[in-house]
Amino acid sequence: MKRSIERVISPRPIHFVGDGFRVQNFIPSTHGLEMKRMDPFIFLDYNEPHFFEPTSTPRGVDVHPHRGFETVTVAFQGKVAHHDSAGNSGIVSPGGVQWMTAASGVLHKEYHEEGFARAGGIFHMAQLWVNLPAKNKMDPPSYQGLDAQDIPSVSLPYGGQLHVIAGEFHGVKGGATTHSPMHLYRIELPQGSSADIQLPMHFNTAFLVLSGSVHVSGLEDSSAPEGHFVLMDNDGTDFSIQAAQNAHLLLLSGEPLNEPIAASGPFVMNHRHELQEAMQDFYAGKFGQLD
Ligand code: MN
């Protein structure tokens, strides 16, 4: 059964996170896309391609906490360096993904990688927040650092490549382990090619057009240019994405957790009192140490 488009969301206002991430917020979005609509994907910051001047002081976000979810950073151009209070660190390079499970809590900092900062260049990145099921919110923190070669690719029958970051596609399993059923794909489509996508109807599904321009088959007004976020309806399973120009997409699809959400800044829990506990634990130093 065909899945139709619910909305095509145009680029959002730009703001800075720290001094290194020039982002638009698609989830939650200022024009009505609530945190719950893409459950379990509760947040999406998108740094469209942007040139940063060379600097000897890497730009970024200094030490801050997270609890109750996962931050997933997908690099398209430029490099991000990460350090956290659980002792994990890594560099996210183009085609790579950092899947940080904050769970019960970490402190971390996110900066442009030193060499990239010194040389300057185009920075292009997305950060998703993936909610954790209530039963996993207070698990110990963990970390998956995936380089491009750790992410399996599938050659599409009509041309193009689909990189399985998480979940699976045509029996090929993704590079990252998740806590609930979901799929995360990076898709490269040459002009004139198409990708046939089939996902369970109740999985919340959307894709971001990183570059190029696409159409969704069977619908008249279905064009999605660069920088647009296409929210699919939950009215069917199948859709086909056709590349009007060479296109690069990030597709997210997940089974909703359908649990209550209480969110405040860097903490995402189920109930308000758990947010107070998170604050108390943070001020009591229970998230560990990070300089
Ligand atoms: Mn963070």
Side-chain angles (χ1 to χ4, degrees), residues 59-244:
R59 298 177 178 87
V61 199
D62 205 0
V63 179
H64 60 277
H66 290 294
R67 173 181 280 182
F69 60 97
E70 306 178 291
T71 65
V72 177
T73 307
V74 187
F76 311 112
Q77 276 182 282
K79 293 182 182 182
V80 178
H82 157 95
H83 291 88
D84 70 41
S85 55
N88 295 305
S89 64
I91 291 163
V92 201
S93 299
V97 174
Q98 177 202 77
W99 201 292
M100 188 193 73
T101 307
S104 62
V106 292
L107 305 177
H108 81 156
K109 51 184 180 182
E110 301 158 276
Y111 277 91
H112 293 189
E113 183 268 334
E114 228 177 292
F116 172 77
R118 213 175 306 123
I122 304 278
F123 191 79
H124 186 196
M125 199 96 20
Q127 186 172 87
L128 271 167
W129 288 8
V130 177
N131 206 4
L132 284 169
K135 64 178 169 53
N136 297 116
K137 282 185 181 288
M138 292 305 281
D139 284 354
S142 60
Y143 183 86
Q144 302 171 72
L146 305 168
D147 288 325
Q149 67 265 24
D150 303 323
I151 296 169
S153 292
V154 179
S155 294
L156 296 168
Y158 309 113
Q161 291 285 319
L162 187 149
H163 308 277
V164 191
I165 298 169
E168 66 153 17
F169 183 79
H170 291 187
V172 175
K173 284 207 179 352
T177 303
T178 66
H179 288 80
S180 65
M182 72 186 70
H183 307 282
L184 185 61
Y185 307 146
R186 188 167 67 79
I187 308 174
E188 295 172 288
L189 289 178
Q191 182 175 4
S193 70
S194 61
D196 291 335
I197 307 290
Q198 184 173 50
L199 296 159
M201 183 153 71
H202 70 293
F203 275 41
N204 291 326
T205 300
F207 64 88
L208 178 61
V209 184
L210 303 164
S211 68
S213 174
V214 298
H215 292 279
V216 176
S217 65
L219 299 161
E220 270 186 26
D221 186 20
S222 70
S223 116
E226 187 163 300
H228 286 61
F229 183 81
V230 181
L231 173 64
M232 302 303 296
D233 207 333
N234 293 80
D235 60 351
T237 50
D238 300 12
F239 60 107
S240 173
I241 306 172
Q242 293 157 355

Side-chain angles (χ1 to χ4, degrees), residues 21-48:
F21 302 93
R22 182 182 176 274
V23 301
Q24 310 168 32
N25 212 193
F26 280 103
I27 310 171
S29 132
T30 41
H31 286 266
L33 189 61
E34 290 173 4
M35 230 179 190
K36 277 228 131 179
R37 177 59 189 88
M38 276 299 293
D39 179 12
F41 307 100
I42 47 175
F43 178 98
L44 172 60
D45 254 359
Y46 177 50
N47 192 131
E48 66 179 9

